[in-house]
């Protein structure tokens, strides 16, 4: 019999299970010779991640129903099979009518203990009955039952549920934040190349990375939001020489003088490809830049600054905050890291290059090119070393397209060979690659303009806002609102629509960019969700009641079936955020938000709010829904609207 509950697909190792490990700190970058001379494997005193129940005992998760129940079922399992090791409660949220949650341990436990002397159970149903019998009394549980081969179904107390929703309203949504035990994480995302405009290809990395960072921050993790921009490489010789040629007094150059930076890059590239003399000068310019010649460093800094200001305009519009530490930041550290890896015997000569061989992969990781230059692998290995040893990060998350999966897999395996990571992937520190698919056009190919150019991200955002504003004007809002209100709402809805259309998909899949679909006010779109939030705010306004006063004096009741469904969904917010964090999947949160809106719509359709005998309770349920929706919007980088 298939369980009637859908088990949350959590990875075997949660960030909330992370334990600090005693790393042998490598010496500071200022003492690289000593660091190289002492090169040795990092020493770990790592411990297996604790179980859900252990973590629940160590640190109370106020808003996490699943963890609360797991704690109770752990006590029951300990009483049911005393002394049986490594039995962790398998608690799942139900999707059928048998209960709200379900414990699915009976079948697995029976397979471990059957046939042993002294075992009195006669199959999984009897084990399930014993688990239910040994479950401690709790005010959160109304009733239990056993179904099929031992599935223990739990119905939560509606009074306990109502009290906890009301407590959240009084104490704040932050009390429902997941309690993760990692203290610091790096999220490496966006990462455009200097002198190239941000295009639709940067959209996914930027908004997925921003959402992952926000969810971890909400979970009380210090997140280092890193923008690993491409600001160091052979293309800068080309750009600098072109800058010198076009603007002899280059120090006075600004954005206005250069004009379109993308066009400037294309002009210099075209010159590089057809003019052998210019190409030779450009290649020599790279050497002069990398050797630290002042004039070339100044020109490089000027180009970076102009490009950076263009990036910042896009980030401001998206509401995304990052701290730039580009490729150039790690360049001074590369020689010492390579030397240390060499002293460990990891770096070998191969066809004139210096490489690290990775077991199971038929190409090596090249860390020094045959001409003695460095590459992406050199920088990424050094950045990883820096993040582990200088920034003391426990979880390092890289958000790039799936095409870079093998590269990062090789970097992580090389780091493991060096002893930077423990051998057991369930231990920390660790690194994760967050891959994502392509943004496609209507033709099913990579999203481009009609002239086959990549779509500028700024143009895409402009178009979304323009279309959103036109829809609002068509609905007569220009006559009702001020121009400022119209602009702000058009921006919130337009930008939110673009973000949500991306985030609601499993990040590993490709998706088709379609303005008409994403700006539709029906279905699973940001427009529908933002309008749903605005409707809730309108209901509260029309009541004329002060919700802050109601929180203090009123009382939530969940007597109607649709009230209870909505209340249960609200209470599952914390575990959903934790699942989305654990698996690095923003679409899990999007699905929760959409279902929350659907549950509210059903509640509002069947339960009169204003003017009913239950008005106070239902207004508080409206407020709780709005609070949770706003937190979801915040985590997804979407600005809520309050009237529509």
């Amino acid at each position: 019999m298939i369980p009637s509950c859908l088990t949350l697909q959590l990875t075997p190792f949660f960030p909330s299970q992370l334990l600090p490990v005693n790393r042998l700190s490598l010496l500071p970058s200022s003492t690289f010779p000593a660091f190289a001379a002492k090169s040795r494997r990092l020493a770990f005193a790592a411990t297996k991640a604790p179980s859900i129940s252990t973590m629940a005992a160590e640190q109370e998760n106020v808003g996490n129903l699943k963890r609360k129940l797991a704690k109770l079922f752990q006590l029951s399992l300990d009483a049911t099979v005393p002394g049986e090791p490594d039995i962790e409660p398998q608690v799942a949220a139900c999707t059928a009518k048998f209960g709200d949650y379900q414990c699915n341990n009976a079948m697995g436990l029976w397979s471990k203990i059957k046939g042993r002397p002294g075992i009195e159970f006669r199959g999984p149903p009897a084990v399930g009955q014993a688990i239910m019998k040994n479950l401690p009394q709790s005010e959160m549980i109304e009733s239990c039952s056993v179904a099929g081969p031992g599935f223990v179904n739990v119905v939560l107390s509606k009074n306990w549920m109502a009290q906890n929703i009301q407590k959240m309203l009084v104490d704040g949504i932050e009390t429902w934040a997941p309690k993760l035990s990692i203290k610091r994480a790096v999220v490496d995302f966006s990462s455009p190349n200097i002198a190239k405009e941000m295009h639709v290809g940067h959209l996914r990395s930027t908004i997925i990375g921003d959402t992952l960072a926000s969810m971890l921050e909400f979970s009380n993790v210090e997140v280092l939001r890193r923008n690993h921009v491409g600001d160091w490489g052979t293309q800068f010789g080309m750009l600098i020489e072109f800058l010198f040629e076009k603007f002899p007094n280059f120090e006075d150059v600004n954005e206005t003088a250069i004009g379109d930076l993308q066009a400037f890059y294309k002009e210099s590239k075209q010159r590089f490809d057809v003019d052998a003399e210019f190409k030779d000068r450009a290649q020599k310019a790279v050497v002069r830049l990398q050797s630290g010649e002042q004039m070339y460093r100044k020109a490089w800094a000027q180009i970076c600054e102009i490009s950076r200001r263009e990036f910042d305009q896009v980030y401001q519009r998206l509401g995304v905050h990052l701290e730039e530490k580009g490729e150039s930041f790690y360049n001074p550290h590369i020689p010492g890291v390579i030397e240390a890896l060499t002293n460990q015997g990891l770096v070998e000569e191969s066809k004139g290059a210096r490489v690290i061989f990775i077991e199971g992969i038929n190409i090596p990781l090249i860390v020094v090119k045959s001409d003695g230059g460095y590459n992406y692998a050199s920088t990424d290995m050094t950045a990883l070393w820096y993040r582990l040893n200088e920034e003391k990060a426990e979880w390092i998350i890289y958000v790039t397209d799936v095409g870079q999966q093998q590269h990062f897999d090789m970097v992580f395996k090389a780091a493991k060979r060096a002893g930077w990571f423990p051998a057991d992937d369930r231990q920390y520190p660790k690194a994760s690659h967050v891959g994502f698919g392509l943004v496609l056009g209507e033709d099913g190919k990579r999203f481009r303009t009609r002239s086959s150019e990549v779509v500028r991200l700024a143009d895409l955002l402009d178009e979304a806002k323009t279309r959103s504003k036109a829809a609002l004007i068509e609905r007569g809002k220009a006559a009702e609102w001020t121009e400022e209100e119209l602009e702000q709402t058009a921006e919130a809805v337009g930008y939110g629509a673009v973000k949500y259309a991306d985030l609601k998909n499993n990040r590993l899949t490709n998706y088709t960019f379609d303005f008409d679909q994403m700006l539709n006010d029906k279905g699973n779109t940001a427009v529908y969700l933002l309008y749903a939030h605005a409707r809730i705010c309108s209901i509260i306004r029309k009541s004329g009641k002060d919700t802050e006063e109601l929180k203090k004096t009123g009382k939530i009741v969940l007597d109607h079936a649709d009230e209870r469904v909505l209340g249960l969904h609200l209470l599952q917010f914390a575990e959903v955020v934790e699942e989305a964090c654990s698996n690095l999947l923003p679409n899990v949160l999007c699905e929760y938000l959409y279902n929350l809106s659907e549950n509210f719509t059903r509640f509002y359709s069947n339960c009169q709010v204003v003017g009913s005998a239950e008005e106070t309770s239902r207004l508080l349920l409206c407020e709780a829904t709005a609070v949770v929706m706003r937190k979801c919007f915040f985590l997804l980088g979407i600005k809520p609207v309050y009237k529509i």
Side-chain angles (χ1 to χ4, degrees):
M1 178 177 177
I2 298 174
S4 58
C5 295
L6 177 65
T7 302
L8 296 179
Q9 296 300 309
L10 299 176
T11 53
F13 44 95
F14 297 92
S16 57
Q17 296 171 331
L18 183 143
L19 287 179
V21 294
N22 296 322
R23 285 198 300 271
L24 174 65
S25 297
L26 299 185
L27 295 177
S29 54
S30 59
T31 57
F32 267 122
F35 160 37
K38 282 189 170 185
S39 62
R40 49 187 168 173
R41 287 184 172 270
L42 296 178
F44 285 92
T47 306
K48 184 179 177 182
S51 67
I52 292 176
S53 57
T54 305
M55 282 304 305
E58 290 172 357
Q59 200 173 71
E60 182 71 11
N61 282 269
V62 174
N64 196 315
L65 296 185
K66 188 177 176 185
R67 288 195 180 276
K68 284 177 176 290
L69 286 170
K71 186 176 179 180
L72 293 173
F73 274 106
Q74 184 68 67
L75 295 172
S76 172
L77 290 166
D78 291 344
T80 302
V81 281
E84 187 68 31
D86 300 323
I87 300 295
E88 294 187 359
Q90 299 173 13
V91 178
C94 287
T95 57
K97 61 184 179 181
F98 299 105
D100 301 319
Y101 284 83
Q102 189 176 76
C103 177
N104 300 324
N105 282 88
M107 290 180 69
L109 190 54
W110 169 249
S111 67
K112 292 185 70 173
I113 63 175
K114 65 180 177 180
R116 290 185 187 175
I119 295 297
E120 298 178 358
F121 303 118
R122 293 292 181 268
V127 177
Q129 290 288 345
I131 293 172
M132 182 180 72
K133 180 182 176 182
N134 289 321
L135 193 65
Q137 286 192 340
S138 170
E139 61 180 354
M140 70 183 296
I141 297 176
E142 185 171 293
S143 64
C144 291
S145 61
V146 176
F151 304 122
V152 182
N153 295 305
V154 173
V155 175
L156 298 177
S157 160
K158 63 182 181 181
N159 292 334
W160 181 88
M161 291 165 59
Q163 290 167 10
N164 276 267
I165 296 169
Q166 190 150 352
K167 193 172 189 305
M168 180 276 289
L169 283 174
V170 173
D171 297 341
I173 188 70
E174 304 303 321
T175 61
W176 280 6
K179 305 295 183 184
L180 308 186
S181 60
I182 57 169
K183 292 182 171 61
R184 180 176 291 177
V186 168
V187 181
D188 179 328
F189 65 107
S190 194
S191 307
N193 288 316
I194 292 293
K196 292 185 179 180
E197 286 187 295
M198 293 181 70
H199 54 76
V200 71
H202 296 111
L203 176 68
R204 301 208 76 182
S205 177
T206 302
I207 63 178
I208 291 171
D210 182 55
T211 294
L212 294 177
S214 294
M215 290 193 299
L216 287 166
E217 287 163 344
F218 177 60
S219 305
N220 300 298
V221 176
E222 179 189 1
V223 178
L224 307 182
R225 293 164 163 259
R226 291 289 177 255
N227 199 3
H228 190 89
V229 298
D231 65 350
W232 198 252
T234 55
Q235 79 271 22
F236 279 97
M238 174 186 79
L239 291 165
I240 290 169
E241 279 303 312
F242 194 66
L243 182 69
F244 287 165
E245 187 175 280
K246 199 167 183 178
F247 303 100
N249 191 16
F250 74 89
E251 292 186 22
D252 296 331
V253 171
N254 54 30
E255 297 100 314
T256 305
I258 286 184
D260 189 332
L261 196 59
Q262 185 81 349
F264 182 83
Y265 182 91
K266 287 181 180 178
E267 284 183 64
S268 64
K269 182 67 167 66
Q270 185 178 24
R271 183 74 182 282
F272 183 86
D273 290 340
V274 301
D275 188 331
E277 190 273 333
F278 177 81
K279 182 175 183 178
D280 182 62
R281 282 192 285 125
Q283 290 171 336
K284 290 176 180 176
V286 176
V287 178
R288 300 174 80 170
L289 169 65
Q290 294 183 348
S291 65
E293 194 167 323
Q294 187 176 18
M295 184 172 76
Y296 287 81
R297 283 295 178 97
K298 281 187 175 180
W300 167 77
Q302 185 79 336
I303 293 169
C304 289
E305 183 57 29
I306 292 170
S307 192
R308 188 177 293 117
R309 284 197 285 265
E310 291 199 9
F311 296 158
D312 286 345
Q313 289 176 10
V314 174
Y315 292 137
Q316 286 174 17
R317 293 170 72 178
L318 289 172
V320 172
H321 167 70
L322 297 107
E323 182 183 359
E324 183 182 310
K325 272 190 169 62
E327 293 174 354
S328 63
F329 176 85
Y330 303 102
N331 199 63
H333 303 281
I334 294 176
V337 171
I338 300 298
E339 186 177 355
L341 293 170
T342 302
N343 289 344
Q344 287 182 259
L346 270 66
V347 179
E348 304 176 40
E349 296 288 331
S350 178
K351 299 179 181 179
R354 299 172 68 191
V355 306
I356 299 174
F357 288 99
I358 309 296
E359 186 178 354
I361 300 177
N362 58 11
I363 57 172
L365 185 71
I366 300 173
V367 292
V368 182
K369 297 186 293 184
S370 57
D371 63 4
Y374 301 128
N375 59 6
Y376 287 129
S378 321
T379 303
D380 285 333
M381 285 296 294
T382 302
L384 185 55
W385 174 88
Y386 187 91
R387 290 162 176 176
L388 287 168
N389 293 278
E390 297 293 326
E391 295 181 323
K392 307 297 183 188
E394 296 155 298
W395 197 8
I396 305 163
I397 299 164
Y398 295 81
V399 187
T400 74
D401 65 85
V402 291
Q404 297 185 50
Q405 176 68 55
Q406 186 183 61
H407 167 74
F408 282 105
D409 186 45
M410 293 173 72
V411 168
F412 299 161
K413 286 179 177 177
K416 185 174 288 189
R417 277 194 65 194
W420 298 359
F421 294 130
D424 188 341
D425 288 336
R426 294 171 297 178
Q427 297 170 353
Y428 288 80
K430 63 172 288 186
S432 301
H433 177 248
V434 175
F436 54 82
L438 298 174
V439 181
L440 306 176
E442 293 179 2
D443 58 359
K445 298 178 181 178
R446 190 187 294 265
F447 189 40
R448 294 183 180 275
T449 65
R450 291 180 180 176
S451 59
S452 295
E453 297 285 338
V454 293
V455 179
R456 294 172 67 245
L457 194 45
D459 291 343
L460 186 148
L461 294 173
D462 285 342
E463 178 73 9
K465 180 180 175 181
T466 298
R467 289 180 180 233
S468 176
K469 186 174 181 180
L472 290 169
I473 291 172
E474 188 177 334
R475 294 177 58 175
K477 298 304 176 182
E480 299 176 22
W481 296 350
T482 65
E483 181 62 25
E484 183 181 8
E485 287 176 323
L486 191 63
E487 284 287 314
Q488 289 178 349
T489 305
E491 190 171 283
V493 174
Y495 296 173
V498 171
K499 289 184 176 185
Y500 187 81
D502 189 305
L503 293 168
K504 74 177 183 180
N505 299 286
N506 184 307
R507 56 176 169 75
L508 293 171
T509 63
N510 301 336
Y511 78 95
T512 300
F513 193 94
D514 183 342
F515 273 123
D516 291 336
Q517 192 280 328
M518 67 178 59
L519 288 166
N520 196 326
D521 61 3
K522 296 179 178 62
N524 189 9
T525 68
V527 184
Y528 168 73
L529 296 170
L530 288 166
Y531 284 9
H533 174 262
R535 282 194 295 273
I536 296 172
C537 296
S538 176
I539 294 166
I540 295 171
R541 282 195 302 270
K542 287 178 181 177
S543 75
K545 300 292 177 64
D546 182 349
T547 53
E548 291 304 312
E549 283 300 315
L550 293 182
K551 290 177 191 178
K552 300 172 187 175
T553 60
K555 180 181 178 182
I556 295 176
V557 292
L558 302 174
D559 289 340
H560 192 284
D562 291 320
E563 291 175 324
R564 193 182 187 285
V565 168
L566 177 59
L568 177 61
H569 197 77
L570 288 169
L571 287 165
Q572 290 172 334
F573 170 70
E575 65 198 53
V576 168
V577 174
E578 183 169 327
E579 182 194 352
C581 281
S582 299
N583 294 320
L584 302 171
L585 290 173
N587 64 294
V588 170
L589 183 61
C590 293
E591 182 181 4
Y592 171 84
L593 176 58
Y594 176 67
N595 289 334
L596 175 60
S597 181
E598 291 284 272
N599 286 335
F600 179 83
T601 299
R602 194 175 302 110
F603 152 75
Y604 186 63
S605 299
N606 297 323
C607 301
Q608 180 185 345
V609 178
V610 179
S612 69
E614 302 84 4
E615 181 181 80
T616 295
S617 169
R618 290 174 177 174
L619 282 173
L620 288 172
L621 264 182
C622 288
E623 177 67 9
T625 304
V627 167
V628 173
M629 288 188 79
R630 284 195 287 273
K631 181 53 69 173
C632 290
F633 287 140
F634 173 80
L635 297 176
L636 297 170
I638 297 171
K639 289 184 179 179
V641 295
Y642 292 82
K643 64 178 184 177
I644 204 69

